[in-house]
């Protein structure tokens, strides 16, 4: 019996640790040959010396289990590095079939205290990094299609966050980048569908180096054999599914995933609509319509962190 991703090749960025590592291992378990990309810096804020060790360790783990993998050291926010990453996949495995964008950093601060560099660096790594790899992967698939190849296969899985959906007071840069990734995903999905390529985004909840502060104090397994509800291993199977032929009809979607739960997020819907009784709205009419509407709703429609996350502190 063949594996779901047998004969396919994949790139996973930020795959040296955490979510990316779990995703790379899952794609390999399902039969894909994997390029394991990571910049290998020690700090979750992008600080420290770059190191090939994290990517090499994951690639070695895949190889030891009987799979095919190659490590790639590089910062995907650099355009030429992203080009080289796609070129490596094609050189090693003959083609690229799956791109999983996961690489990111955090530089948290309130919006009134955030520096220009703290804003730019997070937008660059998350949003530009997603664009860079998508750009070269898309060009690869389009080129094959234009050359007359039939049955071109392409899958993109991008990593957004519920920080974009629910807000995150101390992460204006991160929330903005993750919102931008959703826009990039839906645009890419529309542009590449004609070539046999799908693009989807996930909002994962997982206990990793990136989220150690967010999930500090939330319940962990009582027993050694019990899987942490926030383990990255809960997220990886969805990535494997979206990368597979089984997900051919899933395109331009946003899915929240954690601890045995997958939720498909609807696109924004109109909550209320008001029409002017005159030729055009004036201040007084808008005040008479909108002020009572918003006064009858919870302030800002905000929720406590535990309600948004659906988790319990232990």
């Amino acid at each position: 019996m063949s594996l779901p991703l047998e004969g396919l090749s994949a790139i996973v960025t930020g795959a040296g640790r955490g979510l990316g590592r779990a995703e790379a291992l899952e794609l390999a378990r399902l039969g894909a040959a994997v390029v394991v990309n990571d910049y290998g810096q020690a700090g979750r804020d992008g600080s420290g010396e770059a190191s090939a060790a994290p990517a090499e360790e994951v690639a070695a783990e895949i190889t030891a289990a009987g799979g095919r993998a190659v490590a790639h050291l590089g910062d995907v926010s650099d355009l030429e590095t992203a080009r080289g990453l796609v070129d490596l996949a094609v050189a090693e495995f003959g083609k690229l079939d799956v791109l999983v964008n996961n690489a990111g950093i955090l530089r948290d601060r309130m919006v009134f205290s955030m520096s220009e560099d703290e804003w730019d660096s997070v937008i660059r790594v998350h949003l530009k990094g997603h664009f860079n790899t998508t750009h070269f992967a898309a060009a690869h698939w389009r080129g094959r299609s234009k050359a007359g190849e039939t049955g071109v296969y392409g899958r993109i899985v991008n990593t957004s966050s519920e920080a974009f959906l629910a807000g995150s007071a101390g992460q204006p840069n991160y929330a903005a980048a993750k919102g931008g990734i959703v826009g990039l995903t839906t645009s890419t999905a529309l542009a590449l569908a004609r070539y046999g390529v799908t693009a989807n985004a996930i909002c994962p909840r997982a206990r990793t180096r990136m989220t150690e502060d967010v999930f500090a104090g939330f319940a962990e397994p009582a027993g050694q054999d019990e899987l942490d509800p926030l383990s990255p291993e809960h997220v990886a199977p969805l990535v494997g599914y979206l990368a597979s032929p089984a997900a051919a009809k899933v395109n331009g979607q946003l899915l929240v995933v954690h601890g045995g739960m997958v939720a498909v997020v609807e696109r924004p819907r109109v909550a209320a609509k008001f029409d002017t009784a005159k030729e055009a709205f004036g201040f007084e009419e808008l005040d008479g319509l909108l002020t009572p509407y918003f006064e009858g709703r919870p302030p800002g429609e905000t929720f406590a962190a535990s309600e948004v996350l659906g988790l319990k502190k232990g």
Side-chain angles (χ1 to χ4, degrees), residues 165-216:
L165 289 170
S168 183
Q171 297 182 306
N173 48 4
Y174 181 75
K178 291 306 189 181
I181 286 168
V182 174
L184 171 64
T185 303
T186 54
S187 175
T188 301
L190 290 173
L192 299 186
R194 69 183 70 179
Y195 303 117
V197 178
T198 67
N200 295 285
I202 63 171
C203 294
R205 304 175 192 170
R207 201 189 307 271
T208 68
R209 184 179 58 151
M210 288 273 287
T211 61
E212 59 188 3
D213 295 339
V214 175
F215 296 122

Side-chain angles (χ1 to χ4, degrees), residues 189-253:
L190 290 173
L192 299 186
R194 69 183 70 179
Y195 303 117
V197 178
T198 67
N200 295 285
I202 63 171
C203 294
R205 304 175 192 170
R207 201 189 307 271
T208 68
R209 184 179 58 151
M210 288 273 287
T211 61
E212 59 188 3
D213 295 339
V214 175
F215 296 122
F218 285 92
E220 295 189 44
Q224 291 184 344
D225 297 331
E226 186 180 348
L227 186 62
D228 185 350
L230 289 170
S231 169
E233 280 69 29
H234 284 295
V235 175
L238 177 61
V239 174
Y241 167 75
L242 292 173
S244 76
K249 299 297 184 181
V250 185
N251 195 27
Q253 300 298 313

Side-chain angles (χ1 to χ4, degrees), residues 100-141:
V100 179
N101 283 309
N102 174 74
I105 63 171
L106 290 178
R107 293 190 180 176
D108 296 350
R109 203 173 300 277
M110 299 296 285
V111 68
F112 43 77
S113 303
M114 182 164 286
S115 69
E116 182 180 17
D117 180 66
E118 288 167 337
W119 173 270
D120 288 347
S121 60
V122 169
I123 297 294
R124 185 186 71 250
V125 175
H126 286 273
L127 186 52
K128 189 186 176 190
H130 273 59
F131 162 76
N132 286 347
T133 54
T134 297
H135 169 75
F136 291 112
H140 169 71
W141 290 318

Side-chain angles (χ1 to χ4, degrees), residues 156-173:
I156 298 173
V157 183
N158 289 331
T159 306
S160 183
S161 169
E162 288 171 287
F164 143 70
L165 289 170
S168 183
Q171 297 182 306
N173 48 4

Side-chain angles (χ1 to χ4, degrees), residues 39-143:
Y39 203 31
Q41 293 170 302
R44 65 177 185 171
D45 61 351
S47 62
E49 292 295 321
S51 170
E56 289 175 346
E57 289 169 4
V58 175
E61 190 173 351
I62 291 171
T63 302
R68 299 173 65 199
V70 60
H72 177 271
L73 169 66
D75 177 3
V76 292
S77 70
D78 177 76
L79 190 69
E80 290 307 310
T81 297
R83 183 199 301 271
L85 176 57
V86 172
D87 287 347
L88 176 62
V90 175
E92 286 287 328
F93 305 125
K95 59 185 172 55
L96 173 65
D97 301 295
V98 177
L99 170 63
V100 179
N101 283 309
N102 174 74
I105 63 171
L106 290 178
R107 293 190 180 176
D108 296 350
R109 203 173 300 277
M110 299 296 285
V111 68
F112 43 77
S113 303
M114 182 164 286
S115 69
E116 182 180 17
D117 180 66
E118 288 167 337
W119 173 270
D120 288 347
S121 60
V122 169
I123 297 294
R124 185 186 71 250
V125 175
H126 286 273
L127 186 52
K128 189 186 176 190
H130 273 59
F131 162 76
N132 286 347
T133 54
T134 297
H135 169 75
F136 291 112
H140 169 71
W141 290 318
R142 181 175 181 269

